[in-house]
Amino acid sequence: DIVVDEGIISIDGEDVVPLYLNAGKLYVPFGYFESHFISDPLTLELGETRESAVVAGFANDMFDISLGAFNGDINKTDKENDHIGNFVASAVFTLPEDTVPGLGLTVGGSWISDIADSNGLQDVLDEAGTDEIEDYVPGWSAFLSVSFLDKFFFEAEYIAATDKFENDDLGLAPGERFEPKAWNLELAYAVIENLEIAIKYEGSSDALNFVPEKQYGAAVTYGLFENTSLALEYLHGTFENDDERNLLTAQLAIEF
């Protein structure tokens, strides 16, 4: 089978009007997921959502505000679901370049009407043998991304469901709670032009071992040539059930 990651038709007002419309198979504007590591942050594992959607927005040098609609893959139990019934909204502020010399700042938040449609939570429901839930569970996220002198970087993000999933949705035992939340904190430093080191501390709660409860690690990225880099990272994670994991990852990346 051929899998298309994204296929988008875009209409952009560019310099005429600061409006745009994207339609097709795309990652909806929920979450930010910026990272200096090879592995995806836990916030992405919880929140990244790819759907057939229509997203319209307003964008200029400071703001990107968007609204979208899609027909999610996760349906309500005993309901007619073959229609567009899921929505997403996002607002991002970026400090214009040179407003404060050497400072880069991006901050924003987003909301989705059913976080169960995220790629990660769809896998959780698949393992439970269902693609239906009793009721939609919304989700929200907030993030902050700061850089200084293009040498120091700080990333912070929090993403969460606003309510718990019903026990019957996942076959949970009485008293078990699934109201997943995840967060990610990273610091990075560009030692020289081609060398960056980064550390992170991230975690989750009420996730029933879907992602680690706590995870920390470090990464080093070195630019070998133009558009070519070599990266090495180590992550140690612990889960709610006291399981542990150690991940060592290396990546040779060529951008073109």
Side-chain angles (χ1 to χ4, degrees):
D1 294 338
I2 297 175
V3 177
V4 177
D5 186 53
E6 287 189 292
I8 305 169
I9 296 173
S10 295
I11 301 173
D12 192 338
E14 295 183 344
D15 297 331
V16 181
V17 289
L19 302 175
Y20 64 87
L21 185 143
N22 296 324
K25 177 73 75 173
L26 52 87
Y27 291 92
V28 302
F30 179 63
Y32 187 66
F33 314 133
E34 184 68 20
S35 179
H36 298 263
F37 279 64
I38 302 169
S39 301
D40 294 329
L42 300 185
T43 49
L44 184 147
E45 293 191 40
L46 175 59
E48 184 179 62
T49 305
R50 183 174 65 110
E51 294 288 349
S52 295
V54 176
V55 177
F58 166 91
N60 60 19
D61 292 340
M62 295 179 63
F63 296 100
D64 187 344
I65 300 171
S66 61
L67 296 170
F70 60 94
N71 181 13
D73 296 319
I74 303 301
N75 301 319
K76 288 185 180 181
T77 307
D78 300 327
K79 299 289 184 181
E80 176 58 46
N81 293 289
D82 192 19
H83 60 271
I84 294 175
N86 302 94
F87 304 95
V88 62
S90 172
V92 178
F93 167 79
T94 300
L95 186 71
E97 190 174 352
D98 297 329
T99 301
V100 179
L103 179 65
L105 172 68
T106 304
V107 60
S110 53
W111 171 88
I112 194 168
S113 62
D114 184 22
I115 198 172
D117 271 307
S118 75
N119 301 346
L121 291 185
Q122 284 191 46
D123 291 341
V124 172
L125 290 168
D126 284 344
E127 291 181 7
T130 183
D131 61 357
E132 295 183 342
I133 55 178
E134 187 69 25
D135 203 358
Y136 290 155
V137 177
W140 67 277
S141 77
F143 75 90
L144 172 67
S145 179
V146 182
S147 66
F148 184 63
L149 300 176
D150 286 329
K151 291 182 68 70
F152 303 93
F153 305 89
F154 174 69
E155 314 293 342
E157 184 168 28
Y158 182 83
I159 190 167
T162 63
D163 200 357
K164 67 180 181 66
F165 288 82
E166 297 295 332
N167 283 24
D168 292 343
D169 293 337
L170 297 166
L172 302 179
E176 282 191 294
R177 184 180 184 86
F178 188 63
E179 187 180 338
K181 311 168 187 66
W183 47 270
N184 180 49
L185 298 172
E186 294 186 16
L187 286 171
Y189 172 54
V191 181
I192 56 176
E193 182 178 356
N194 294 332
L195 178 63
E196 180 185 273
I197 58 175
I199 58 174
K200 79 150 60 190
Y201 187 54
E202 59 183 346
S204 69
S205 62
D206 294 331
L208 293 180
N209 304 304
F210 159 56
V211 290
E213 185 178 33
K214 294 290 185 294
Q215 185 161 265
Y216 60 85
V220 179
T221 303
Y222 182 70
L224 296 173
F225 316 105
E226 185 177 0
N227 302 322
T228 304
S229 63
L230 178 65
L232 180 69
E233 74 171 25
Y234 167 76
L235 293 171
H236 175 78
T238 58
F239 292 79
E240 289 184 25
N241 62 1
D242 295 327
D243 284 349
E244 297 186 9
R245 73 177 185 186
N246 293 283
L247 300 177
L248 183 63
T249 308
Q251 179 186 71
L252 176 64
I254 301 174
E255 298 181 11
F256 56 90

